[in-house]
Amino acid sequence: MAILDVSGLKVHFPIKGGIFNRTIGHIKAVDDVSFSIEQGKTYGLVGESGSGKSTTGRAIVGLENITAGKILFEGEDITSRESKTKDMRKDIQMIFQDPYSSLNPRKRVRDIIAEPLRNYEKLTKNEEKQRVYELLELVGLNPESIWKFPHQFSGGQRQRIGVARAIALKPKLIIADEPVSALDVSVQAQVLNFMQDIQKELDLTYLFISHDLGVVEHMCDEIAIMYRGRYVEQGTREDIFENPQHIYTKRLIAAIPDINPRNRDAQYAFRQEVKREYENSFDDYFDAEGLAYNLQNISATHRVALPERG
Amino acid sequence: MEIKNVQMEAAKAENPTALRILWREIFRDKLAFISLIFLVLVTATVYGISIILDQDEIVKVDLFAIHQPPNDEFILGTDYGGRDVFGQLIIGTRNSLTIGFLVTLMSGIIGIVFGLVSGYFGGHIDNAMMRILDFFNVLPFLMIVIVFVSLVPKYNTVTFSLIMTVFLWMGIARLIRSKALQEKELDYVQASRTLGSSHFKIIFKEVMPNITSLIVVTMTLNLAANIGIESGLSFLGFGLPESTPSLGTLLSYATNPQTLESRWWIWIPAAILILMLMLAVRNVGEALRRAADSRQRRG
């Protein structure tokens, strides 16, 4: 059974303007997005800046008002935002993009990690401290870190504190919103591998949001590509990387850098070719407004936004 | 285990708390440090002596001792009612300081809570709360205080502080709101939401600690301003009555040209004390302000 089931999710933001600050239009940050994630899997959400991938994640965790659609978590409806769903939200946690602003600079590590525990579990001071030590050990930080403040850690260590906080309640689903994009490359690998380790250890499900295809290929079982709030293509890792069908996906994949300098000219030629194809066939793949079409099944796992056959 | 504990203690010690940074900044700045000592001394002396002094005894008119220059019995002489100026100075400073502290504290609490709630929730709530604030802002402060003074027959330091508070919380509320608006956009506030913290908890346990330095600084600078406002009102005759002396009432005796010219002992000490107190509070406040901003710190 799917642990998370999102159907027809829409998040629209009003544009205010004119006299009396009326609503004069909407930005469709997320427009009709549906997907489901299996227990223990990692689902990648990829797209350029402003494509609505982060908004999707924030809507699921309850930070954004949902315009339409339904979110089912373990079969239960968690679409509404407020207190009714508080206990279920405990099982969905989030890792934030920026490890510098996502930790309160005035709190010691101990209080940061204990915050979710204090909200949901009644622990004595000692039990709580014990749990914080366990979590710190799990994420590979020194026990004496509990007295330190966030600014005394490096970016990678801070992100580990963020992860420790997210897994403190033993959640089932973690929404990782570009968890490594603020870190340098050597630390990225470290944090990613560590996220995979704890995934196995705690049987976590990830919704992994990223703009970095290399990272996504490394982490995810299933991948969806978003463009301007809509799905462009969705499938298993193999579907997307071996057999991309949509021109937008093809172009994204062509843009992955190749570290071998001998291939530079060939890569360049290939990219130019894809670019030409993209420009020539843009009208075939996108509608009059430049948005993606509805998804069509092309295999059991693979869905692509193609125009109705005609 | 031993070593571990030592390391832990070390880790604990090398993280100066906000309070320690404030203290260090004051200590490094000679002027601010002297000002602080002066303030503590004055406060201690004034509150200490005024326990012994009897306010009713001091404000009792004694016609046989009018306008005496400083002598052995009256260290700072007497005023037109034969009242001891030194006693009035002590009681007056106490009253002025009490009003200053009370007004700062009360307007601070109202302003902080109002500003935090308004800024944190934003949107319609913010809009409505800011209109309420605007309403208080357009009320004519001086006029209403004058009306209040003539309407209420008997008032003392506490009631007078209350009426001042009603008109003095808006500045700090605005300041705190603007800071809260900035702060709530940061990820750690969002993170707290996803971790299940209530709005109340986020406002007072997450956002407020991050603006404590701003709060301390504004409150200190407000203290100086409030002592000044109280003295000013009393000077004009709309503050405390003569039966409750304050620095302002002593100063207002100087409106009599004869007193101004030839009876310096009545008003000069009060004038100097007001000046010194306000300057001292400001010096400390400025040092705190520097401590709150790491780019301006000296220590």
Side-chain angles (χ1 to χ4, degrees), chain B residues 28-243:
Chain B
R28 292 281 158 86
D29 183 351
K30 285 281 172 314
L31 193 62
F33 187 59
I34 294 169
S35 299
L36 185 67
I37 291 177
F38 172 75
L39 276 179
V40 171
L41 278 181
V42 168
T43 316
T45 324
V46 160
Y47 281 92
I49 298 183
S50 62
I51 295 174
I52 319 166
L53 290 178
D54 180 5
Q55 184 172 322
D56 294 332
E57 191 61 40
I58 282 166
V59 297
K60 203 176 270 173
V61 176
D62 179 4
L63 290 176
F64 298 105
I66 324 177
H67 292 324
Q68 286 188 7
N71 55 34
D72 287 344
E73 194 186 348
F74 304 107
I75 305 173
L76 284 174
T78 56
D79 65 0
Y80 74 91
R83 292 168 290 204
D84 180 14
V85 172
F86 178 73
Q88 286 192 67
L89 192 67
I90 296 293
I91 300 278
T93 314
R94 187 199 66 182
N95 287 342
S96 286
L97 281 177
T98 309
I99 290 178
F101 284 130
L102 272 180
V103 172
T104 310
L105 199 70
M106 289 191 295
S107 64
I109 290 171
I110 297 174
I112 289 163
V113 173
F114 196 91
L116 278 174
V117 170
S118 179
Y120 174 77
F121 287 107
H124 293 304
I125 296 178
D126 181 38
N127 231 328
M129 289 179 82
M130 281 300 114
R131 296 299 78 75
I132 295 172
L133 189 143
D134 286 342
F135 167 74
F136 275 96
N137 252 338
V138 297
L139 291 180
F141 173 44
L142 210 60
M143 220 174 81
I144 293 185
V145 171
I146 292 170
V147 170
F148 167 82
V149 167
S150 31
L151 281 183
V152 181
K154 255 189 140 179
Y155 55 97
N156 53 24
T157 46
V158 178
T159 40
F160 191 64
S161 306
L162 278 173
I163 188 82
M164 274 178 77
T165 304
V166 174
F167 296 96
L168 290 171
W169 58 271
M170 290 86 77
I172 190 163
R174 246 180 220 291
L175 194 72
I176 299 292
R177 166 188 172 261
S178 68
K179 195 75 183 158
L181 275 175
Q182 265 176 35
E183 207 69 23
K184 71 148 182 188
E185 293 300 327
L186 293 178
D187 274 349
Y188 75 85
V189 175
Q190 314 265 338
S192 271
R193 287 298 294 149
T194 67
L195 296 169
S197 299
S198 62
H199 288 303
F200 182 83
K201 207 167 166 188
I202 296 176
I203 290 176
F204 292 104
K205 288 210 160 162
E206 303 281 327
V207 178
M208 201 165 83
N210 276 291
I211 56 175
T212 35
S213 46
L214 182 75
I215 292 174
V216 170
V217 172
T218 338
M219 300 255 287
T220 316
L221 294 177
N222 273 3
L223 176 63
N226 291 338
I227 293 174
I229 292 174
E230 186 278 324
S231 303
L233 280 172
S234 297
F235 173 77
L236 291 175
F238 305 124
L240 293 171
E242 264 179 38
S243 59

Side-chain angles (χ1 to χ4, degrees), chain A residues 3 7 28 32 113 133 179 199 260 263-264 282 305:
Chain A
I3 185 166
S7 54
K28 297 179 175 173
D32 206 5
I113 296 180
Y133 277 133
Q199 178 172 35
N260 188 346
N263 296 340
R264 192 183 289 154
F282 187 85

